[in-house]
């Protein structure tokens, strides 16, 4: 979540809409499915990447789906249907879905503890920390409920708790637990609420309302099999620019999605930015403050998506995304003051820069499908590259590469194992400013202890399918140059990520 997320930063489990690991667009549920839904009310659940998605992930999952999946008995995209503990208690779920209503309730919990000691003499400490989120999602197919062709609505509320353990050893670039922050420290926080209209046989999709920029753009639900915020729910560099609203916060926005062919998508949008208040309690604490008093510009992203399926039997799906965003908000320069001199020396305020940009490329490709198993069982390579305007953002560049294997153990077809690596390069302008402050023995910008350069994170996890709707993933992370600070000790963390989908 998110980054739902971000990922959104999204929780773990499967939707009816196929995700990156699907090999068939409309295959019936396989023998690996552990639940049943009345087929006379809704189509069979599609096999999907069971570790990737849950409440709050609908936008990212929807754009992963090939066009044929969207052609069912209504023109609205299939409602999310995750594997859950309570499949159909007293027939309630069936009744709601028969009338076009889906309600999801889940919990994601992430714990991480330091194995190695932090650098001494800096006030850092060794310890562990727990973070988590409970969330409820409501999706309504108004075509089924009220006869409004192609119209649906989507809303998510969450509550969050905890802070990441990585702060204990001085890292401020790659939080060890993604499911933290932005929730306003309240019992109920509105993430997003918007309406969506599908037209022209699903070739055109228009959405408007309170929307999270990063739930739609530079997002891939596969990334949230991992716990570190470098990966889940978006490349962490994507949320550097506060013009890009990150789950669990949103702006007023409109998003347009065009499908020229079955395996291509072009989407673009306008998000009314609130760069100075987006994560502050005054404006965004509960998420229910809808006024436009702090709107200070517009962010305009565009993204092209290609979703091929390779192999003689089309069993090797992939998703390739390239995007660009420009915003008109004001930002602070990382080095110069208004007179063109280093503000670290002049003592003046940083100069204001009007507008900023970002560019990205994301990819996932299944390269091997485990014979005889579900369409999402196989080896998938995942990678991302993100680039920011270094003049105004902390992270100038971020690259990541990983591999995810689901179903490798035939007797445990729903388990998965994965490894991911991320490299983050801090803006050279920011590094220069921090060095000037350090020379004067002054506190450094960005809350750092030392000038920042580049940071590296490696994460390995094993995701265990414990029971229907429950996953538990032991997790190991290793930080090189925490926070991009070479003077800090490298750190190893051990923990877990759990997800419980209640219904």
């Amino acid at each position: 979540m998110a980054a739902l997320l971000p990922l959104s930063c999204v929780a773990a489990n499967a939707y009816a809409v196929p995700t990156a690991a699907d090999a068939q667009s409309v295959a019936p549920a396989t023998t690996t499915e552990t639940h049943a839904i009345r087929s006379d009310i809704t189509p069979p659940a599609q096999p999907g990447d069971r570790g990737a998605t849950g409440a709050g992930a609908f936008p990212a999952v929807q754009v992963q789906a090939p066009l044929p999946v969207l052609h069912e008995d209504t023109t609205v995209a299939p409602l999310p249907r995750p594997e859950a503990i309570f499949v159909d208690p007293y027939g309630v779920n069936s009744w709601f879905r028969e009338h076009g209503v889906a309600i999801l309730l889940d919990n994601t919990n992430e714990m991480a503890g330091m194995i190695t000691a932090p650098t001494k003499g800096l006030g850092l400490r060794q310890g562990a920390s727990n973070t988590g989120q409970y969330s409820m999602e409501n999706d309504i197919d108004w075509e089924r409920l009220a006869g409004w062709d192609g119209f649906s609505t989507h809303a998510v509320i969450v509550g969050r708790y905890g802070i990441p353990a990585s702060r204990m050893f001085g890292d401020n670039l790659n939080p060890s637990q993604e499911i933290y922050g932005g929730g306003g420290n309240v019992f109920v926080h509105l993430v997003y609420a918007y309406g969506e209209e599908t037209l022209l046989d699903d070739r055109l999709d228009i959405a408007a309302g309170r929307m999270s920029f990063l739930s739609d753009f530079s997002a891939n639900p596969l990334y949230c099999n991992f716990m570190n915020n470098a990966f889940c729910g978006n490349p962490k560099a994507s949320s550097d620019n506060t013009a890009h609203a990150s789950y669990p916060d949103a702006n007023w926005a409109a998003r347009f999605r065009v499908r020229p062919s079955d395996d291509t998508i072009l989407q673009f949008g306008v998000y009314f930015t609130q760069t100075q208040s987006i994560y502050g309690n005054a404006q965004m604490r509960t998420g229910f403050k809808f006024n436009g008093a702090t709107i200070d510009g517009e962010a305009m992203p565009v993204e092209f998506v290609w979703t091929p399926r390779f192999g003689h039997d089309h069993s090797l799906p992939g998703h390739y995304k390239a995007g660009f965003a420009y915003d008109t908000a004001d930002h602070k320069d990382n080095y110069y003051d208004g007179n063109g001199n280093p503000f670290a020396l002049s003592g003046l305020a940083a100069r204001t820069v009007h507008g900023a940009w970002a560019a990205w490329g994301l990819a996932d490709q299944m390269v091997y499908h485990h014979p005889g198993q579900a369409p999402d069982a196989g080896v998938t390579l995942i990678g991302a590259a993100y680039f920011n305007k270094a003049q105004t953002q902390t992270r100038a560049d971020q690259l990541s590469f990983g591999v995810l294997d689901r179903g490798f153990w035939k007797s445990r077809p729903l388990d998965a194992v994965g490894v991911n690596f991320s490299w983050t390069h801090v803006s050279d302008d920011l590094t220069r400013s921090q060095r000037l402050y350090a020379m004067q023995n002054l506190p450094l910008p960005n809350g750092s202890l030392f000038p920042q350069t580049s940071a590296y994170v490696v994460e390995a996890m094993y995701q265990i399918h414990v029971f229907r709707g429950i996953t538990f993933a032991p997790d190991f992370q290793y930080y090189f140059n925490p926070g991009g600070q070479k003077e800090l000790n490298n750190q190893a963390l051990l923990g877990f990520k759990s997800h419980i989908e209640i219904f």
Side-chain angles (χ1 to χ4, degrees):
M1 295 203 138
L4 150 297
L5 46 297
L7 263 156
S8 99
C9 303
V10 292
N13 231 300
Y15 270 177
V17 181
T19 61
D22 291 316
Q24 303 172 16
S25 60
V26 290
T30 70
T31 56
T32 61
E33 288 289 342
T34 57
H35 66 281
I37 299 291
R38 287 175 52 191
S39 59
D40 60 322
I41 294 176
T42 54
Q46 303 297 324
D49 189 80
R50 295 164 180 83
T53 58
F58 187 86
V61 173
Q62 188 181 9
V63 78
Q64 301 284 93
L67 183 61
V69 173
L70 303 181
H71 291 280
E72 293 191 336
D73 56 341
T74 73
T75 57
V76 173
L79 296 177
R81 188 196 306 152
E83 180 191 81
I85 296 176
F86 300 105
V87 178
D88 191 19
Y90 304 102
V92 172
N93 285 352
S94 295
W95 187 90
F96 273 113
R97 290 183 176 278
E98 184 177 8
H99 292 82
V101 179
I103 300 175
L104 282 63
L105 180 65
D106 71 351
N107 172 262
T108 299
N109 197 81
E110 298 171 348
M111 192 282 290
M114 298 165 57
I115 299 175
T116 51
T119 307
K120 295 181 179 180
L122 299 173
L124 304 175
R125 62 188 179 90
Q126 186 171 4
S129 181
N130 187 69
T131 65
Q133 170 187 281
Y134 50 86
S135 60
M136 185 178 75
E137 176 174 342
N138 174 236
D139 300 279
I140 301 177
D141 178 346
W142 289 91
E143 183 171 333
R144 186 187 297 272
L145 181 64
W148 186 341
D149 290 351
F151 186 68
S152 60
T153 56
H154 313 279
V156 171
I157 60 174
V158 301
R160 286 187 161 185
Y161 49 89
I163 60 172
S166 50
R167 292 187 179 181
M168 297 180 183
F169 54 83
D171 178 85
N172 60 359
L173 290 179
N174 300 304
S176 53
Q177 292 120 292
E178 52 81 20
I179 201 77
Y180 86 100
N185 194 28
V186 292
F187 180 71
V188 172
H189 177 87
L190 176 67
V191 177
Y192 59 64
Y194 64 93
E196 184 175 17
E197 180 67 32
T198 303
L199 304 166
L200 305 178
D201 293 329
D202 302 321
R203 296 290 180 178
L204 174 63
D205 185 279
I206 303 172
R210 297 289 294 182
M211 303 178 67
S212 179
F213 179 116
L214 294 180
S215 290
D216 276 307
F217 294 90
S218 71
N220 187 327
L222 276 180
Y223 296 166
C224 277
N225 284 283
F226 298 92
M227 187 167 80
N228 192 285
N229 205 189
F231 315 113
C232 178
N234 310 77
K236 184 58 178 173
S238 64
S239 59
D240 247 21
N241 187 342
T242 53
H244 304 169
S246 178
Y247 190 105
D249 289 307
N251 301 130
W252 289 113
R255 188 266 299 146
F256 305 86
R257 181 176 295 148
V258 181
R259 292 178 179 263
S261 67
D262 286 3
D263 59 0
T264 58
I265 297 171
L266 177 66
Q267 60 175 356
F268 53 94
V270 177
Y271 294 75
F272 294 93
T273 64
Q274 297 168 282
T275 59
Q276 305 305 311
S277 63
I278 183 66
Y279 304 120
N281 281 340
Q283 176 69 24
M284 310 298 287
R285 180 177 173 85
T286 67
F288 287 95
K289 196 170 183 178
F290 298 147
N291 71 71
T294 59
I295 291 176
D296 55 11
E298 300 82 32
M300 295 159 285
V302 59
E303 185 176 66
F304 177 76
V305 184
W306 180 43
T307 60
R309 289 182 290 278
F310 297 111
H312 69 278
D313 55 354
H314 303 290
S315 63
L316 302 176
H319 296 82
Y320 299 85
K321 304 179 182 183
F324 179 85
Y326 181 79
D327 72 84
T328 62
D330 288 339
H331 305 270
K332 297 299 182 183
D333 194 281
N334 279 329
Y335 187 75
Y336 292 106
D337 62 20
N339 296 323
N341 299 312
F343 59 74
L345 297 179
S346 70
L348 299 177
R351 71 180 177 187
T352 298
V353 179
H354 184 68
W357 59 266
W360 61 87
L362 280 69
D364 65 77
Q365 179 63 58
M366 183 178 285
V367 294
Y368 177 77
H369 176 249
H370 295 299
Q373 295 199 45
D376 66 346
V379 179
T380 299
L381 302 181
I382 54 180
Y386 205 98
F387 308 94
N388 279 320
K389 185 175 183 177
Q391 182 184 9
T392 58
Q393 307 306 321
T394 297
R395 300 166 182 83
D397 317 288
Q398 182 186 349
L399 302 175
S400 66
F401 178 79
V403 59
L404 181 69
D405 188 355
R406 186 170 301 283
F408 69 95
W409 190 358
K410 195 169 184 178
S411 62
R412 301 280 309 170
L414 304 187
D415 285 8
V417 63
V419 178
N420 219 337
F421 168 82
S422 174
W423 167 78
T424 302
H425 172 225
V426 174
S427 163
D428 290 338
D429 287 350
L430 178 59
T431 303
R432 291 164 62 199
S433 291
Q434 290 175 333
R435 284 172 175 163
L436 291 177
Y437 276 101
M439 288 171 56
Q440 304 171 73
N441 293 317
L442 295 174
L444 274 59
N446 211 37
S448 298
L449 299 168
F450 301 97
Q452 298 175 282
T453 53
S454 296
Y456 311 83
V457 175
V458 178
E459 179 178 354
M461 66 84 189
Y462 182 83
Q463 191 177 88
I464 304 168
H465 185 268
V466 179
F467 181 72
R468 182 183 64 240
I470 301 176
T471 59
F472 180 84
D475 186 269
F476 174 81
Q477 300 179 34
Y478 196 87
Y479 283 70
F480 300 88
N481 304 342
Q485 302 163 91
K486 296 179 180 179
E487 296 82 357
L488 296 183
N489 294 344
N490 294 342
Q491 296 293 331
L493 286 82
L494 187 64
F496 68 85
K497 178 175 183 174
S498 66
H499 179 255
I500 301 174
E501 186 75 39
I502 300 172
F503 56 78

